[in-house]
Amino acid sequence: MFLELKNLLSKYPNDSGLHSAAAMLIQKVGELDLAASLYKQAIKIDEKNSEANFGLADIAVRKKDYKNAENYLTKILTIEPKSSKAALAMAAVYLLDKDKPKAKKQLEMAISNDPSSVDARFMMSNIYLSDKDYASAKKIIDQAILV
């Protein structure tokens, strides 16, 4: 598989999307360093490649490097300020890093950008439940059900 990917990448060296797709496949088989290298190449070709930044953020989270994950997600939010997917991912990173206030802020942004985001609402309700704020948790779950 790697040989075929290498040949494709050699044939299309300036295709950022191809580099990202190859990185995703390689990441799936656990070759995180090689995948990160391909994601970085994709970004060199197209600095606005959000999928490559998502991939690098995911790799950083797997390595428990939350600061780098935050940096990659911040790049996405700079490129796509209304990305509820990036805001939701950023909230997850903040929760892993034990920063509930920042996670709540990102979830509020995700919900504002995409009111139909059930995932953001349920993640927010889990924060409220962990804080024993049952009224707020119920309210946000009720809103999620209505969406």
Side-chain angles (χ1 to χ4, degrees):
M1 171 177 84
F2 290 132
L3 183 60
E4 290 90 355
L5 283 175
K6 188 175 180 179
N7 289 338
L8 270 174
L9 293 169
S10 294
K11 189 173 180 180
Y12 302 100
N14 295 319
D15 189 327
S16 180
L18 180 61
H19 280 77
S20 288
M24 282 184 231
L25 288 171
I26 289 169
Q27 183 178 353
K28 294 245 186 248
V29 297
E31 295 289 335
L32 300 184
D33 292 335
L34 180 56
S37 174
L38 287 168
Y39 284 132
K40 288 176 183 175
Q41 255 183 306
I43 292 169
K44 278 185 187 176
I45 297 166
D46 177 8
E47 65 187 29
K48 293 184 177 184
N49 185 325
S50 293
E51 288 306 314
N53 280 299
F54 271 117
L56 288 167
D58 182 56
I59 290 170
V61 166
R62 289 174 188 225
K63 294 181 175 184
K64 297 185 186 327
D65 183 356
Y66 304 128
K67 191 65 182 162
N68 259 337
E70 181 183 344
N71 290 338
Y72 291 120
L73 293 168
T74 298
K75 287 179 187 178
I76 296 167
L77 289 167
T78 301
I79 297 165
E80 302 174 41
K82 299 260 183 210
S83 172
S84 64
K85 179 182 174 184
L88 186 61
M90 184 77 87
V93 168
Y94 285 139
L95 286 175
L96 288 169
D97 204 23
K98 311 280 190 254
D99 192 338
K100 283 185 192 177
K102 284 185 179 179
K104 283 182 180 179
K105 183 177 177 186
Q106 288 300 314
L107 290 169
E108 288 166 0
M109 185 168 64
I111 292 167
S112 171
N113 291 339
D114 181 7
S116 67
S117 177
V118 175
D119 291 335
R121 292 178 188 277
F122 279 114
M123 192 181 290
M124 182 74 91
S125 71
N126 283 331
I127 292 172
Y128 287 133
L129 288 171
S130 72
D131 291 341
K132 297 184 180 359
D133 182 353
Y134 303 117
S136 295
K138 183 185 180 324
K139 180 180 175 185
I140 200 129
I141 289 171
D142 289 344
Q143 290 170 347
I145 291 169
L146 295 174
V147 172

